[in-house]
Amino acid sequence: MADYDVIVIGAGLGGITTGALCAKNGFRTLILEQSDLIGGCCSTYERDGYKFDVGASIVEILHPMEKVFELLGKRREDYIDLIPCDPIYSFITEDGRKFSYPTDIDETTKIIESIAPEDVEGWKKFSNMGLKMIDEMMEAVMLSPLNSIPEAMAVGMKNPQVLKFMPTLLRTHQGVVRKFYKNPVIQSSVAFQSYFAGAPPEIGSGIFGFIALSEHLGIYYPRGGMIGIPKGIADAGQEFGLEIRLNSKVERILVENRTAIGVELEDGTQIRSRMVVSNINAKVAYLKMIGPDHLPSWAVKAMDSYRISMPCPMIYVGLDCKPDLDAHHTVVTGSIDAMNKVWNDFYTKGIIPKTAMSLICWPTEADPSLAPEGHHILNFLCNAPAPYAPLGDNWDRLKESYKEDAIKELETYVLPDVRDHITIMDISTPLDFERRLLSPQGSIYGLFSDITSLALLRPHPRSRAIKNFYLTGSSTHLGGGVPTTLASGVITNGYIMKDHG
């Protein structure tokens, strides 16, 4: 006799979404989370009166979130209060130039014209085509299952307008950027988002080249911190009986006759269920929690072939004054070639770069309640990307020197006397992320994402190797990120309903 209909391993966005929708559809649903916080990388923790976001810093492309609440029969605004952020980004170039992109398309056109008049026409072509593409493809691609050739063909037949955008989507991120822009400053201002998907511009998928454009439809920060998104969905799910247990680590997935029948916790407790959903890294779920003995040889080889996504060290800073910033996000970045060089000559060789992209997030600009009165918070990605295992060294030893590098970066670009105003400073290294979130090698996007590892080329939400086993989150569909992991939860729930509804 099963204890639950559905057990979800992990309370990240994909797991919370899948679990809430399963509960809404009448399934007895339990989410097991190994840590004491929900949300995974989209979460917030408190220290000394400051509320720091673990990783994710904003949400754009609201359609998947609105779809989740539509399926729950609820109003999103009753559960998640989103604060608009404008400008989208401020930029600081290598030569010290500063400018910002507002959400308004026409105002952004003026900014581009002031920097690179030769790129105005390219921007207009890109934005006109891209906005139409985003509108027409949102439901077709973001929220549709694309995990087999027949499914992909069905989406194409149902949405023939999507096919005209395929040549663009099959380009690399760098290819998309250089197709429309000539000026290196403008190119770099729309190329760094490739790292949001965990890859450099020269190999990142062209799909992510449109993240910059989608943000002109609005970027938002949830009041109370990024944890507000998973909390809002969890609150709605709990109204349908969703159960969430924190500090409950799943050690293995119980399998009989290649069918998932429940889980075993770290303390040996076994909980039976009709279905198991994994919101953790797919390689961990298959190769460790299920194990090769329960898998066909092709599945073992397939899972072993996937690469882990890049890690991302994060610096968390509390200040007793207002920083000299203009936007929720400030990007210190170099050229596209510099972004590629950091990946090829540093990251892949296990070396921590001294230059590349730095991203400074200022959440108290949107929500002052995150810090004591008159104080501010910076969540800071410094000199990214940085490797999980630094060559000839280790992150525990490097923490203090990495903090020092971050302070120097802030002194240069944000506040010359920042040392006198820091009241608290934390760091999460790739090793810390691995320990805290149990993400292998500190990976923040599950599996590596390029044009060869998206949609039907990624692990399927409905397992082909184990019956009644499903996956959600950053290892599936379109990879990591707030909108994509929310969408993965919708898609996974759709498979469950098709099989068991």
Side-chain angles (χ1 to χ4, degrees):
M1 182 70 180
D3 302 298
Y4 292 88
D5 295 315
V6 180
I7 289 177
V8 181
I9 306 170
L13 282 182
I16 290 280
T17 300
T18 306
L21 292 173
C22 283
K24 165 64 168 62
N25 290 318
F27 295 109
R28 292 171 297 149
T29 305
L30 170 66
I31 298 177
L32 296 167
E33 167 57 43
Q34 58 85 25
S35 75
D36 58 356
L37 287 173
I38 64 171
C41 285
C42 184
S43 191
T44 308
Y45 74 96
E46 185 169 357
R47 181 177 168 192
D48 297 344
Y50 296 87
K51 295 179 180 178
F52 295 110
D53 293 322
V54 172
S57 56
I58 51 97
V59 57
E60 71 279 276
I61 312 179
L62 295 186
H63 187 66
M65 186 187 301
E66 302 293 356
K67 185 69 174 183
V68 171
F69 281 94
E70 176 189 325
L71 293 172
L72 288 170
K74 304 287 186 179
R75 295 186 343 133
R76 184 270 305 160
E77 52 268 37
D78 291 336
Y79 295 85
I80 303 172
D81 181 10
L82 295 176
I83 305 167
C85 300
D86 195 2
I88 302 170
Y89 294 105
S90 286
F91 296 93
I92 303 174
T93 64
E94 290 177 305
D95 61 3
R97 183 186 311 187
K98 295 183 179 182
F99 62 97
S100 299
Y101 284 159
T103 54
D104 184 85
I105 292 286
D106 292 336
E107 292 301 312
T108 298
T109 303
K110 294 177 183 178
I111 298 296
I112 292 174
E113 186 174 24
S114 70
I115 298 169
E118 70 274 19
D119 279 339
V120 169
E121 284 307 308
W123 161 248
K124 288 181 177 179
K125 289 178 182 178
F126 176 74
S127 57
N128 289 338
M129 182 272 289
L131 289 174
K132 185 176 181 181
M133 184 187 79
I134 291 168
D135 181 60
E136 294 185 3
M137 294 186 66
M138 187 59 64
E139 194 79 24
V141 174
M142 184 76 83
L143 290 164
S144 295
L146 295 167
N147 296 283
S148 67
I149 293 175
E151 286 179 340
M153 291 178 64
V155 168
M157 292 176 65
K158 185 178 179 181
N159 305 275
Q161 76 278 8
V162 168
L163 299 178
K164 65 187 175 188
F165 300 119
M166 283 300 108
T168 297
L169 296 180
L170 292 175
R171 291 176 180 269
T172 63
H173 191 125
Q174 177 174 294
V176 169
V177 169
R178 286 183 166 162
K179 174 179 170 62
F180 293 97
Y181 307 107
K182 299 180 179 64
N183 186 283
V185 172
I186 302 301
Q187 288 179 349
S188 66
S189 72
V190 292
F192 72 93
Q193 285 97 340
S194 66
Y195 277 119
F196 287 2
E202 67 181 2
I203 59 177
S205 169
I207 291 174
F208 297 100
F210 291 89
I211 289 178
L213 183 61
S214 72
E215 290 171 335
H216 286 275
L217 300 174
I219 65 168
Y220 303 87
Y221 186 76
R223 194 175 303 278
M226 291 302 294
I227 198 172
I229 297 175
K231 183 181 183 301
I233 298 171
D235 288 347
Q238 286 171 328
E239 293 176 11
F240 298 107
L242 174 65
E243 184 180 342
I244 301 173
R245 295 185 196 173
L246 302 178
N247 299 305
S248 299
K249 182 181 181 301
V250 174
E251 193 64 30
R252 68 186 181 104
I253 297 167
L254 303 176
V255 175
E256 287 184 2
N257 299 320
R258 288 194 177 165
T259 300
I261 61 168
V263 300
E264 182 175 291
L265 304 184
E266 191 174 34
D267 64 4
T269 301
Q270 292 190 352
I271 308 174
R272 303 280 171 149
S273 61
R274 293 169 54 206
M275 294 161 272
V276 175
V277 179
S278 170
N279 184 216
I280 63 174
N281 187 283
K283 294 189 73 162
V284 174
Y286 273 111
L287 299 181
K288 179 179 181 291
M289 290 188 173
I290 292 176
D293 289 345
H294 292 291
L295 296 169
S297 59
W298 64 262
V300 175
K301 291 178 181 178
M303 292 313 305
D304 186 53
S305 70
Y306 286 107
R307 295 162 59 190
I308 299 294
S309 85
M310 76 175 201
C312 184
M314 290 292 296
I315 302 282
Y316 313 105
V317 181
L319 299 175
D320 64 7
C321 67
K322 182 180 178 181
D324 184 19
L325 298 171
D326 299 318
H328 188 85
H329 278 152
T330 297
V331 183
V332 182
T333 188
S335 67
I336 289 181
D337 291 337
M339 295 180 210
N340 291 327
K341 180 179 175 62
V342 162
W343 181 274
N344 295 322
D345 294 351
F346 289 83
Y347 172 74
T348 60
K349 294 175 174 55
I351 303 169
I352 299 174
K354 289 295 183 183
T355 58
M357 180 189 78
S358 293
L359 176 68
I360 305 165
C361 179
W362 177 27
T364 41
E365 188 269 342
D367 185 359
S369 71
L370 298 174
E373 186 173 356
H375 289 226
H376 287 268
I377 285 172
L378 302 179
N379 299 324
F380 185 28
L381 187 159
C382 179
N383 294 339
Y388 165 71
L391 188 67
D393 221 318
N394 69 80
W395 276 108
D396 287 342
R397 196 192 72 83
L398 290 171
K399 272 189 174 183
E400 293 308 312
S401 63
Y402 198 78
K403 282 184 181 180
E404 180 62 24
D405 288 344
I407 292 173
K408 290 177 180 177
E409 190 89 347
L410 292 175
E411 286 175 329
T412 302
Y413 296 110
V414 177
L415 201 64
D417 59 346
V418 70
R419 292 176 193 271
D420 298 330
H421 297 283
I422 294 175
T423 56
I424 185 173
M425 190 171 188
D426 267 356
I427 179 172
S428 282
T429 70
L431 194 57
D432 292 323
F433 275 118
E434 184 176 58
R435 289 165 175 160
R436 183 185 305 166
L437 302 179
L438 301 186
S439 299
Q441 299 178 23
S443 59
I444 55 172
Y445 300 117
L447 303 176
F448 183 70
S449 296
D450 63 7
I451 57 176
T452 69
S453 56
L454 293 174
L456 74 164
L457 301 176
R458 219 161 173 80
H460 293 196
R462 178 208 281 143
S463 175
R464 293 186 297 164
I466 302 295
K467 187 178 179 180
N468 293 340
F469 179 55
Y470 301 85
L471 294 93
T472 189
S474 59
S475 289
T476 68
H477 196 43
L478 297 179
V482 174
T484 48
T485 48
L486 290 170
S488 76
V490 172
I491 290 169
T492 301
N493 177 72
Y495 281 115
I496 291 172
M497 289 303 296
K498 185 176 181 179
D499 295 342
H500 301 275

